[in-house]
C-alpha cells in the first residue's frame, strides 16, 4: 500500500542467480528479458573503468594483488547463471 501511494511498485524478480541484472533490466527496459544485455554492459563498464572501481573490491588477503583480484571478480561476473 505504501509504495503505491508514492507511485512505486514491487516486481517479482526471477530468483535464478541473475537477480541484480534482472532488476536493472526491469528498471531500464520495463522487462527482465534484457538481463543478459545488462550483464554485458555492466561487466564491460567495470573492466574499462577498473581503476574507478578498485575501492569496491576487497581481496581475501592483504597479500593478494587488488588489480588481479578485481579482474578475476569481473571475469566471474561474466557468467550468466541461467
Amino acid at each position: 500500500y505504501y509504495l503505491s501511494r508514492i507511485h512505486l511498485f514491487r516486481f517479482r524478480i526471477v530468483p535464478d542467480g541473475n537477480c541484480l541484472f534482472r532488476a536493472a533490466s526491469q528498471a531500464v527496459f520495463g522487462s527482465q528479458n534484457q538481463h543478459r544485455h545488462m550483464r554485458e554492459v555492466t561487466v564491460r563498464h567495470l573492466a574499462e573503468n577498473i581503476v574507478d572501481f578498485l575501492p569496491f573490491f576487497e581481496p581475501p588477503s592483504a597479500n593478494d594483488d587488488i588489480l588481479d583480484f578485481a579482474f578475476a571478480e569481473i571475469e566471474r561476473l561474466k557468467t550468466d547463471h541461467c
Side-chain angles (χ1 to χ4, degrees), residues 1-12:
Y1 172 74
Y2 170 75
L3 290 177
S4 63
R5 285 195 342 224
I6 59 173
H7 307 289
L8 296 176
F9 306 93
R10 287 178 57 187
F11 289 92
R12 183 180 179 285

Side-chain angles (χ1 to χ4, degrees), residues 24-81:
S25 176
Q26 181 71 50
V28 173
F29 299 109
S31 162
Q32 297 177 37
N33 295 337
Q34 297 293 319
H35 69 91
R36 286 185 180 99
H37 174 71
M38 293 302 295
R39 180 183 292 275
E40 291 169 9
V41 169
T42 301
V43 168
R44 186 177 329 116
H45 182 75
L46 284 169
E48 290 173 355
N49 299 281
I50 189 69
V51 173
D52 296 334
F53 292 101
L54 284 178
F56 299 100
F57 290 96
E58 186 174 335
S61 163
N63 296 329
D64 293 335
D65 182 80
I66 189 155
L67 198 55
D68 289 343
F69 176 75
F71 275 119
E73 287 295 294
I74 290 170
E75 193 64 31
R76 190 179 61 79
L77 279 174
K78 288 181 181 178
T79 305
D80 189 336
H81 297 286

